[in-house]
Amino acid sequence: MTGLGLPRRIIKETQRLLAEPVPGITARPDDANARYFHVVVAGPSESPYEGGTFNLELFLPEEYPMSAPKVRFMTKIYHPNIDKLGRICLDILKDKWSPALQIRTVLLSIQALLSAPNPDDPLANDVAEQWKSNEAKAIEFARQWTRQYAMNNQTPQPSF
Amino acid sequence: MPKSKDRPSDDIDSHQPASPQHGPGDRASSASNYQGIKYGELVVLGYNGHLPQGNKGRRRSKYVLYKRPQANGVKPFRKHIVKNPHSSKAIQDSSQHSVTYTLSRNQAVIVEYKQDPDTDMFQIGRSSEDPIDFVVMDTIPGHMRTDSDTISQSTISRFACRILVDRNPPYTARIFAAGFDSGKNIFLGEKAVKWYKGEEIDGLTTNGVFIMQPQGGFNASSKTGVWREISVGGAVYALRESRSTPHKSNQVLDEDNILHDGTLIDLCGATLLWRSALGLITSPSEHEFEHLIEELNAGRPQCPVGLMTLVLPKKGTLGINDKQPFVYLKCGHVHGQHQWGQTKGGGDERTCPLCLSVGPFVKLKMGCELSLYVDNEHPTHCFSPCGHMASEHTCRYWAQVPVPHGCQGFHAICPFCATPLDADPGYMKLIFQDHTD
């Protein structure tokens, strides 16, 4: 994919993401499609996801930045705000989107969501239930899934 | 208003050629730089360096008062009572300045004026007749201007006021209501407010001439003063009940008609700012001001949406669209033009992408009439709702100055476009996303 017809905003964001990456996050545009990013987020320390590396895909729709990027977890994750298809429940990706936000700020928010799951606004209902009824057990599940799916996984992921 | 307004002017015009002290030839040289002495400037509020249709001759947004080659001031000399003023010699003699106070149908007091070698006279009014040095028309506020503005009814007198400046330092300037017409006469008709007690004869014009002296001079810390009315003789009065109430208020004896740097003059339809030559030293020069803007632009302010670098215009607005800065008036966040956050109703209200507050989104315009600046600081603020940029103290000062409008009210206006300012505070700090690289 060439950069032809790519808005200057996307070019500038991409350049800055590559030059000054966010700690714990890498985002690399696809060779064939400059609107598609391969993202790897490291599980934040002191969270049940610590030690894991989570693959995400991020796509900038035609209307970007007037509408939000589309982001999805490719790596399975046990989290009340992320469902089994990898969809993320995050307000800035929906009605709280603003064009002043960037790929960088979206990824930082996702990183923060891993540190602070919010079972009161769930997407994965079963996980949220578990989180509310027995948080210790839920965290143990999350650690288990991290070991199972998010470690030694930096080969191309099969999609599910 | 002087009776002269309703009187055909040619009835006395044809008698004699005008005296050399105030003839047409005089003007060209007074507008040039005689002996390099500049007394000051009169700046009409509501214009950003020029009239909408451009500055032409005596019709302009700013008039510079230079020392004249020859004195043309006049001062009261003697007075007498006449039965029929129009047949009196002082009025028919078009080389003789006079003020006629009509007391009744068959009695008038004529005050004869004689030449004063120590003062220069400058006259301001709506008339384009020769005695008017600075022709001033009613100011239409910026938000109501269209391409084809015509004033159907004016409230400005044709011969509204006169300013006499001492030809010697410190070049004190004094203002008087009413100006002499082409016959060198001022007529106060039967209905004008006037009083004749003992030796004193004086009067007010129909819509009056108001002045306001700012407290503490014209600088970063000045505060608005009290509006006063000036009489034909130059005395100071409290404002009348309404603009043209036919009764004078109390005389204010401890104030005078001297113009100080920053004095505002209101002619009922146009408001003028007097800047003394000395005071203007503290205003930025064109060059200094461009440098201030360059310093702001050096921070490379960025549009948070388009991520492009914005450029603050040195004059007015920028021609290049994607670099033109805009501001959200609710929060002060500066952006480039973008299509987002328009509210459902399709009104002016939009949502700021940075803080999600909802308010008008307007183009930023540089306030480049530098005589309106109270200091020499960066234009980091803007007036609301018009978006004219100026320094913080300049915005703060003008936002607290009540300017007469119409015959009754006062309101704060943007000095660059005369648009009434939004309620308190009427201006805001601009928030740039700069120094990001």
Side-chain angles (χ1 to χ4, degrees), chain B residues 49-86:
Chain B
H50 57 82
L51 298 177
Q53 62 275 34
N55 288 339
K56 281 186 214 107
R58 291 175 291 158
R59 273 212 65 190
R60 46 204 316 113
S61 65
K62 175 155 88 176
Y63 177 76
V64 181
L65 285 75
Y66 289 109
K67 186 171 184 175
R68 296 190 188 276
Q70 282 176 304
N72 71 336
V74 291
K75 57 185 176 187
F77 163 49
R78 62 183 173 200
K79 63 175 181 290
H80 44 94
I81 301 175
V82 294
K83 282 204 163 62
N84 185 356
H86 283 273

Side-chain angles (χ1 to χ4, degrees), chain A residues 8-10 12-13 16 20 65-67 96-102, chain B residues 302 304-309 322 335 338-340 352-354 356 436:
Chain A
R8 189 169 45 175
R9 153 140 184 180
I10 296 179
K12 288 192 87 166
E13 274 201 71
R16 188 156 169 239
E20 309 160 45
M66 294 308 144
S67 62
K96 289 289 159 48
W97 170 253
S98 143
L101 298 169
Q102 301 184 14
Chain B
Q302 216 177 44
V305 174
L307 300 186
M308 65 282 201
T309 304
D322 67 338
H335 290 252
H338 58 89
Q339 307 302 320
W340 190 77
C352 172
L354 279 175
L356 304 183
T436 53

Side-chain angles (χ1 to χ4, degrees), chain A residues 11-12 26 39 46 62 67 79 85 91 103 109 115 120 155:
Chain A
I11 297 169
K12 288 192 87 166
T26 61
V39 178
E46 288 167 43
E62 182 61 31
S67 62
H79 190 289
L85 295 175
D91 57 357
I103 300 172
S109 297
S115 290
D120 292 325
T155 47

Side-chain angles (χ1 to χ4, degrees), chain B residues 52-367:
Chain B
Q53 62 275 34
N55 288 339
K56 281 186 214 107
R58 291 175 291 158
R59 273 212 65 190
R60 46 204 316 113
S61 65
K62 175 155 88 176
Y63 177 76
V64 181
L65 285 75
Y66 289 109
K67 186 171 184 175
R68 296 190 188 276
Q70 282 176 304
N72 71 336
V74 291
K75 57 185 176 187
F77 163 49
R78 62 183 173 200
K79 63 175 181 290
H80 44 94
I81 301 175
V82 294
K83 282 204 163 62
N84 185 356
H86 283 273
S87 61
S88 86
K89 182 184 164 295
I91 285 168
Q92 293 193 348
D93 180 352
S94 62
S95 65
Q96 160 95 61
H97 288 84
S98 70
V99 182
T100 303
Y101 298 88
T102 310
L103 301 179
S104 67
R105 192 161 296 175
N106 47 27
Q107 196 187 35
V109 175
I110 298 182
V111 179
E112 289 179 33
Y113 280 62
K114 65 172 183 184
Q115 279 150 29
D116 180 357
D118 298 321
T119 60
D120 284 340
M121 183 165 69
F122 301 89
Q123 298 212 115
I124 303 155
R126 181 170 49 87
S127 170
S128 55
E129 279 180 48
D130 206 54
I132 295 298
D133 297 283
F134 187 20
V135 180
V136 175
M137 305 300 256
D138 299 64
T139 304
I140 299 170
H143 65 297
M144 292 162 72
R145 276 176 211 166
T146 61
D147 288 337
S148 55
D149 287 325
T150 46
I151 308 280
S152 50
Q153 268 197 320
S154 176
T155 46
I156 302 175
S157 172
R158 295 194 304 147
F159 302 93
C161 72
R162 60 197 196 278
I163 292 171
L164 281 108
V165 187
D166 288 347
R167 286 173 61 84
N168 295 309
Y171 308 116
T172 304
R174 293 180 176 81
I175 185 165
F176 301 83
F180 294 102
D181 63 16
S182 297
K184 296 189 166 50
N185 302 308
I186 292 171
F187 280 93
L188 285 189
E190 252 180 284
K191 287 183 184 141
V193 184
K194 55 197 146 1
W195 49 96
Y196 183 37
K197 234 194 268 161
E199 283 303 292
E200 190 205 1
I201 178 94
D202 203 349
L204 303 174
T205 55
T206 305
N207 286 335
V209 171
F210 295 177
I211 67 167
M212 188 281 281
Q213 316 272 18
Q215 301 173 43
F218 193 69
N219 53 51
S221 59
S222 43
K223 291 197 162 51
T224 187
V226 181
W227 284 94
R228 302 293 193 200
E229 178 158 12
I230 300 299
S231 70
V232 174
V236 181
Y237 288 84
L239 295 191
R240 289 177 258 179
E241 204 166 293
S242 77
R243 189 106 198 188
S244 50
T245 300
H247 308 285
K248 70 177 166 99
S249 292
N250 295 326
Q251 188 172 359
V252 184
L253 289 163
D254 56 351
E255 292 177 25
D256 56 38
N257 61 334
I258 293 176
L259 300 180
H260 298 279
D261 188 37
T263 301
L264 285 179
I265 303 163
D266 188 80
L267 302 178
C268 196
T271 310
L272 283 61
L273 170 70
W274 166 257
R275 295 301 315 271
S276 68
L278 197 63
L280 279 168
I281 292 170
T282 59
S283 283
S285 69
E286 296 263 332
H287 182 74
E288 285 169 329
F289 188 67
E290 285 186 8
H291 185 68
L292 294 175
I293 295 171
E294 278 161 16
E295 284 179 339
L296 289 178
N297 281 332
R300 298 176 62 78
Q302 216 177 44
C303 171
V305 174
L307 300 186
M308 65 282 201
T309 304
L310 303 171
V311 178
L312 295 175
K314 288 182 181 170
K315 287 231 161 84
T317 57
L318 213 63
I320 319 156
N321 262 349
D322 67 338
K323 292 180 191 276
Q324 167 68 45
F326 286 71
V327 64
Y328 283 90
L329 287 179
K330 190 88 177 192
C331 51
H333 283 124
V334 177
H335 290 252
Q337 175 67 292
H338 58 89
Q339 307 302 320
W340 190 77
Q342 266 125 339
T343 45
K344 295 271 167 6
D348 293 340
E349 303 275 286
R350 290 182 50 171
T351 307
C352 172
L354 279 175
C355 65
L356 304 183
S357 59
V358 177
F361 182 60
V362 302
K363 193 182 273 193
L364 283 174
K365 290 153 273 188
M366 190 56 68

